[in-house]
Amino acid sequence: MKRNWPLHVLVMPAIIIAFIFNYVPLGGIIMAFQEYKPWFGFTGSEWVGLEQFKKIFAFAEGRQVIWNTLVISSFKIVFQLIIPIVFALLLNEVRIMFFKRSVQTLVYLPHFLSWVILGGILLDLLSVDGGLVNQFLNFLGIQSIFFLGDGDWFRVTVIATDVWKDFGFSAIIFLAALSGINPALYEAAVIDGANRFQQVLFITIPSILPITIVVATLALGNILNAGFDQIFNLYNPLVYDKGDIIDTYVYRQGLLGGNFSYATAVGVFKSIIAFFLIITGYKLAHKYAGYRIF
């Protein structure tokens, strides 16, 4: 402590900020067990035990948002795993470095754009009235599609745009794994007469399989995070039945509806499930890929 005190002082502001914004608010969890009234406060509000949690499954909309979250996040996780791997494998075969770096830069860029910006762009592009995408569909003789007003199409749009935005950035970890493969393996395969496809099939894919297992298992912890920023900037009352997720539901119930206790209960329920999923993910990653943090 005496020797490293400058490092402790350096990290202290971050610790203080984390304590204020991440740990102090945890006291508000008590609202999930009360019929919280702001004018009575924590001490004066009626204690109701687990009644707020029972409402989650008693209300049809509560069950629906859980299902919506699972559907949207599951498809996002699957495609955010498959497409970055395929992209990394294809990009790894490119031998023209200028083209390779140009493609990498182009696919990375969307990741750094806010969903506020992309939401505004997508609202214009996908508009039924004059949107560029629907104009192209009309040109092909296809009737306009209400991408952001039809529940089923909204899910497809949300999943597709999320994958488009982040697949390039997600591929970085797989490109790093590919760069660590021993070139001697490929040289030996060439001597044995293996073509490029066989090299990918029997050397490249097995070599990145451990990191693939790690990414897939750790993604379990995000199965209840379907992307608040994206959904919030794209959804509307027309798609609540198919596009409303836990986070947006908590926002509407708590901040807009003033139903603080119920919104807190939904948030706590999500956090508890996510906690156990994260633990499960780490256990699986350690068991099947030898990955561990501590």
Side-chain angles (χ1 to χ4, degrees), residues 8-147:
H8 289 280
V9 173
L10 184 66
V11 78
M12 190 57 67
I15 294 175
I16 293 173
I17 291 173
F19 178 76
I20 293 174
F21 291 99
N22 291 81
Y23 289 92
V24 172
L26 288 177
I29 289 177
I30 194 175
M31 287 190 293
F33 305 94
Q34 297 178 324
E35 190 63 53
Y36 179 75
K37 305 296 182 184
W39 48 90
F40 291 139
F42 294 138
T43 57
S45 297
E46 179 186 359
W47 185 269
V48 296
L50 298 177
E51 289 301 317
Q52 302 295 346
F53 292 91
K54 294 178 182 178
K55 292 180 182 178
I56 299 174
F57 299 97
F59 294 162
E61 60 181 10
R63 298 191 300 271
Q64 184 64 43
V65 296
I66 294 174
W67 174 249
N68 293 343
T69 303
L70 290 173
V71 170
I72 294 173
S73 61
S74 297
F75 277 103
K76 281 185 176 182
I77 289 172
V78 170
F79 286 110
Q80 282 285 20
L81 182 66
I82 295 174
I83 293 180
I85 291 174
V86 173
F87 173 74
L89 290 173
L90 293 174
L91 196 62
N92 189 56
E93 296 301 313
V94 176
R95 294 294 175 258
I96 304 175
M97 294 306 298
F98 174 76
F99 177 76
K100 184 176 182 178
R101 291 171 181 171
S102 299
V103 171
Q104 282 182 285
T105 302
L106 289 174
V107 298
Y108 291 168
L109 284 177
H111 173 79
F112 299 99
L113 294 177
S114 165
W115 272 115
V116 176
I117 297 172
L118 288 178
I121 295 173
L122 290 172
L123 287 173
D124 288 334
L125 287 176
L126 302 177
S127 172
V128 176
D129 185 18
L132 189 62
V133 174
N134 276 311
Q135 286 187 33
F136 179 71
L137 293 176
N138 295 154
F139 175 76
L140 297 177
I142 302 173
Q143 189 176 1
S144 296
I145 299 174
F146 201 178
F147 290 100

Side-chain angles (χ1 to χ4, degrees), residues 147-260:
F147 290 100
L148 301 178
D150 180 274
D152 294 325
W153 276 108
F154 180 79
R155 284 182 178 175
V156 173
T157 302
V158 164
I159 295 166
T161 54
D162 183 76
V163 172
W164 165 77
K165 181 178 185 293
D166 287 326
F167 84 92
F169 192 80
S170 300
I172 292 176
I173 189 171
F174 299 108
L175 288 170
L178 290 171
S179 66
I181 299 175
N182 189 349
L185 296 174
Y186 293 106
E187 294 171 1
V190 171
I191 294 174
D192 290 338
N195 56 34
R196 293 301 301 177
F197 177 76
Q198 290 171 325
Q199 292 175 40
V200 171
L201 187 62
F202 296 108
I203 297 176
T204 307
I205 293 179
S207 297
I208 66 171
L209 189 58
I211 192 63
T212 302
I213 294 174
V214 170
V215 173
T217 53
L218 296 184
L220 286 175
N222 290 318
I223 193 110
L224 293 182
N225 291 323
F228 173 80
D229 292 347
Q230 180 192 22
I231 302 292
F232 182 75
N233 283 285
L234 294 177
Y235 84 150
N236 58 75
L238 293 175
V239 295
Y240 281 171
D241 60 330
K242 296 290 184 69
D244 200 14
I245 60 173
I246 292 176
D247 291 331
T248 54
Y249 183 63
V250 168
Y251 167 78
R252 289 205 326 278
Q253 289 291 328
L255 295 181
L256 299 184
N259 196 351
F260 301 109

